[in-house]
Amino acid sequence: MTTKMRSEIAEQPAALRATIDALLPRTAEVQALAQDTRQTLFVARGTSDNAAVYGRYLIEARAGRLSALGAPSIATTYRRKLDLEGVLAVGLSQSGRTEEIVETIEWAKACGAKTVAITNGGENSPLAQVADLALCTLAGEEKAVPATKTYTTQLAALAVLALGLGADVDPDDLRRVPDAVEKLISDPGDLQAVVDGLADKPGVVVSGRGLAFSTALELALKLKEACYLHAMGLSYADLLHGPIAVVDEDTPAILVAAGEGPTLAGTVALAQRVTGAGASAFGVGGGTELAAASTAALNGPDLPEWVAPLGLIVPGQLLTEALARRLGIDPDAPRGLNKVTQTD
């Protein structure tokens, strides 16, 4: 029987096409709203927070604008006012109904920020209603608890946001994403070998850097919530500062990289170090260089680095779904989780 998660993975090309077609013409609205701002503050939790990491790296690296991840508890728990004049605050919530995120965006506006909502909940969702501008994704209803199509369409919305903020990238690259994702779903690479390599392992380290760091965090989260693995998502720079000591025969590494860009060489070198120490290194993306240095590899998208994360997560989603089934776990309804999580 096909799981809901697997079906929703397959729906991503159509969801991405619809979202990109709807949002790409709206870059001028982003530009107009942000014209008197200098910095970007992202507000999110869970998978949406991982998407925000992509937004932060993209906007800093390609639009030259200082960006940061906000702590919602400053607004909702400590109730501290901040001077947010000159700040563009971006709230991300797949449902648009996470009360903490809605409250934090209201707080940011009261503190002087301009506000943007990125949500799959539609224009009438609470988050869209409180923001100055809503970029609503068109993923359709997502029934499986682990987010797949709502995550990748969030990344598409963040790419549009970056374009509106003046990112020095080609919008046509974004239009290529749905076809690249479709190709990955049809041919994810050596999926069975990676499933076999993880099936008897209690934990795994997932690592990437720069724009691929968000993918490492998101894949680690998926393996934790759907496969119950002790999965640690780290920048490879942080991994080398000490946590690499946990990588051994019982704790393999999954290493994520775009097929081009300044972080690829370091990722390949890390794969060589891991396998040289007798541990398994499973590559995701990184082209032939990372595949050659890895124990087994999943394919990455044929896309420039700035949009590669929209495709890089897809083989990781397929891995999570297949590994969960291998372990006898229903990936659609992991224990202890609901589709919408409310926090104070």
Side-chain angles (χ1 to χ4, degrees):
M1 185 179 70
T2 303
T3 64
K4 293 184 181 72
M5 183 179 180
R6 182 61 181 81
S7 295
E8 288 166 357
I9 291 170
E11 292 168 8
Q12 287 178 113
L16 284 162
R17 285 190 188 97
T19 298
I20 292 166
D21 287 347
L23 296 185
L24 201 50
R26 300 185 63 192
T27 55
E29 295 176 56
V30 175
Q31 183 180 17
L33 179 66
Q35 63 182 349
D36 294 323
T37 66
R38 303 179 307 279
Q39 301 171 3
T40 309
L41 181 70
F42 291 101
V43 179
R45 290 289 190 196
T47 285
S48 296
D49 207 34
N50 296 335
V53 171
Y54 166 70
R56 177 199 169 186
Y57 274 92
L58 177 59
I59 289 169
E60 288 193 333
R62 304 311 297 264
R65 169 188 282 250
L66 182 65
S67 302
L69 304 185
S73 60
I74 298 301
T76 63
T77 303
Y78 290 96
R79 302 196 177 279
R80 176 70 184 186
K81 287 280 189 178
L82 300 181
D83 181 1
L84 297 182
E85 290 289 339
V87 172
L88 182 69
V90 182
L92 296 96
S93 168
Q94 286 146 1
S95 69
R97 295 184 285 115
T98 303
E99 293 171 4
E100 181 186 29
I101 305 306
V102 175
E103 184 179 344
T104 303
I105 289 300
E106 289 179 311
W107 163 87
K109 183 183 288 190
C111 290
K114 301 294 186 182
T115 56
V116 175
I118 293 178
T119 180
N120 195 53
E123 296 282 351
N124 293 323
S125 66
L127 183 60
Q129 288 291 302
V130 301
D132 296 315
L133 174 67
L135 299 177
C136 294
T137 60
L138 298 175
E141 183 183 6
E142 191 171 63
K143 296 181 179 179
V145 170
T148 53
K149 60 181 181 174
T150 54
Y151 174 75
T152 51
T153 52
Q154 276 186 328
L155 298 188
L158 287 164
V160 170
L161 181 76
L163 287 164
L165 295 177
D168 56 348
V169 293
D170 184 351
D172 285 339
D173 294 335
L174 185 57
R175 295 186 178 95
R176 292 171 48 204
V177 167
D179 288 343
V181 168
E182 198 159 40
K183 183 177 179 181
L184 285 170
I185 293 170
S186 299
D187 182 18
D190 204 351
L191 183 62
Q192 192 57 53
V194 182
V195 170
D196 291 345
L198 295 176
D200 63 345
K201 300 297 189 291
V204 62
V205 172
V206 189
S207 187
R209 193 172 186 185
L211 286 157
F213 180 37
S214 58
T215 306
L217 292 173
E218 175 62 8
L219 178 50
L221 178 61
K222 289 291 162 281
L223 292 170
K224 281 185 277 195
E225 66 185 7
C227 302
Y228 311 154
L229 287 187
H230 295 287
M232 182 187 309
L234 289 168
S235 161
Y236 74 61
D238 290 326
L239 178 62
L240 293 172
H241 274 277
I244 195 168
V246 306
V247 177
D248 57 22
E249 292 181 0
D250 293 321
T251 308
I254 299 175
L255 306 177
V256 185
E260 59 168 37
T263 68
L264 177 57
T267 309
V268 172
L270 180 56
Q272 293 168 336
R273 178 171 173 177
V274 168
T275 57
S280 295
F282 301 116
V284 179
T288 56
E289 293 178 68
L290 184 56
S294 300
T295 308
L298 301 177
N299 294 333
D302 182 18
L303 293 169
E305 185 196 21
W306 80 275
V307 285
L310 282 76
L312 279 172
I313 191 57
V314 173
Q317 294 168 345
L318 292 167
L319 168 62
T320 299
E321 192 272 343
L323 180 59
R325 288 189 290 102
R326 172 74 171 269
L327 297 174
I329 299 167
D330 178 3
D332 294 336
R335 65 190 181 203
L337 295 177
N338 296 309
K339 190 61 184 170
V340 180
T341 300
Q342 300 291 5
T343 50
D344 296 327

